[in-house]
Amino acid sequence: MSNARSLTLLCAALSLLTACSTSPKPDPDLDIALASPALNPAETFRPATPNSAIRLKEGRYPNLFSPDSYAVWVNEDVIALKRAQAVEAGEEVDAQMDVTLALVDANYIVFECHVESAFPDSSIAYDMVGLRNVDVYLETPGGSRVRPIQRILGGTASDEPVDALTKFGRTNILVFAKRDILIRQPAIMPNAEGVRLVLAGFNSAFYFEWTAAPVIVPEGENPESWRSRPSEMYQAGKVHFSELYQRLRVLAHMFD
């Protein structure tokens, strides 16, 4: 009788241990973000251009990231560009893809970080492009720091020889809630002069910066002038429409 009771207790303990090891841990920040209503356009900060080159903020190792690194603010204009490119290439674009990406754009701030590193210590270079041990946050003009609610890392890092070094590259997606999860206000105020996306690690800090789009476009100036620059359009369209959908669709399912 005692042995049977001990066996029962052991099985119960093993079942509990298995459940604890396989069940995903809830993300309270994400839950709060999902409970917040989406921002309307008047509450949304709009960058003058979606593309931004990496810059050194401070630190001992200015060569941790390669100067070719850049980030793209994936807003509705960039999504529209990617979609147009997909249609022109003859790719199938269904309604679910449009709905999903529109839902994501309404609720999240999304960045594509195309980062490269040829740091002399190749193990550190590999870690940098995977944002390992790297603090990531948005920095507003008022000094507030907003942390991402999701890091969607790219697949295996690319690598290529550069002289005697190896340059690694990776495209990571960073997702921020548009509304501050604590005070329920916009994470970036619509009247902000600009915002920085900061990557800090190994006693060094780098940033991508976006200035605000003008409220009134000067006469004769194209409000979408970035589209006339082939290099910026290439950067904005490097991650294809279907790939963006595949990597972000899990966010839209949070609202099901």
Side-chain angles (χ1 to χ4, degrees):
M1 188 72 168
S2 177
N3 290 339
R5 186 168 181 270
S6 298
L7 180 60
T8 301
L9 291 174
L10 178 60
C11 290
L14 288 173
S15 297
L16 179 60
L17 180 61
T18 302
C20 291
S21 63
T22 57
S23 301
K25 294 182 180 179
D27 185 340
D29 287 353
L30 187 56
D31 291 341
I32 296 173
L34 294 176
S36 302
L39 297 178
N40 62 54
E43 297 177 292
T44 303
F45 172 87
R46 294 188 63 85
T49 177
N51 306 60
S52 180
I54 199 165
R55 302 177 186 178
L56 175 67
K57 184 179 183 182
E58 59 187 2
R60 298 169 59 182
Y61 304 107
N63 56 340
L64 275 173
F65 285 111
S66 297
D68 291 336
S69 300
Y70 66 93
V72 176
W73 189 310
V74 186
N75 56 16
E76 60 182 346
D77 295 332
V78 172
I79 293 173
L81 171 68
K82 293 176 185 291
R83 189 186 192 282
Q85 291 176 337
V87 171
E88 184 178 357
E91 299 176 14
E92 181 179 355
V93 176
D94 59 40
Q96 183 61 47
M97 299 169 79
D98 287 331
V99 170
T100 295
L101 293 179
L103 187 58
V104 169
D105 178 61
N107 290 276
Y108 303 106
I109 303 169
V110 178
F111 298 98
E112 294 172 11
C113 288
H114 302 260
V115 287
E116 297 181 348
S117 177
F119 193 68
D121 186 324
S122 60
S123 64
I124 292 179
Y126 184 84
D127 285 347
M128 292 305 295
V129 300
L131 303 182
R132 185 176 182 183
N133 299 319
V134 175
D135 190 17
V136 177
Y137 56 89
L138 287 177
E139 186 176 69
T140 67
S144 298
R145 294 183 177 185
V146 183
R147 256 69 188 192
I149 59 171
Q150 290 283 320
R151 296 188 187 196
I152 305 174
L153 301 184
T156 304
S158 64
D159 62 88
E160 62 175 296
V162 177
D163 297 327
L165 304 176
T166 299
K167 182 167 72 173
F168 294 95
R170 206 170 208 155
T171 298
N172 305 305
I173 292 180
L174 301 173
V175 183
F176 297 78
K178 279 192 172 181
R179 191 182 296 277
D180 188 290
I181 62 177
L182 297 178
I183 60 177
R184 305 298 177 90
Q185 291 185 355
I188 306 172
M189 298 305 292
N191 60 349
E193 295 180 357
V195 65
R196 289 179 174 183
L197 174 61
V198 179
L199 309 179
F202 296 93
N203 298 310
S204 303
F206 299 78
Y207 68 93
F208 305 96
E209 187 169 33
W210 292 266
T211 57
V215 177
I216 300 177
V217 179
E219 185 177 355
E221 184 173 316
N222 181 359
E224 295 184 347
S225 58
W226 65 276
R227 287 178 178 263
S228 64
R229 303 186 184 107
S231 61
E232 292 196 359
M233 289 187 65
Y234 169 77
Q235 290 178 345
K238 190 171 182 179
V239 173
H240 295 174
F241 187 76
S242 58
E243 181 183 352
L244 182 69
Y245 165 73
Q246 291 295 334
R247 296 178 71 175
L248 293 179
R249 63 178 181 173
V250 65
L251 295 174
H253 290 330
M254 300 293 185
F255 296 89
D256 293 344

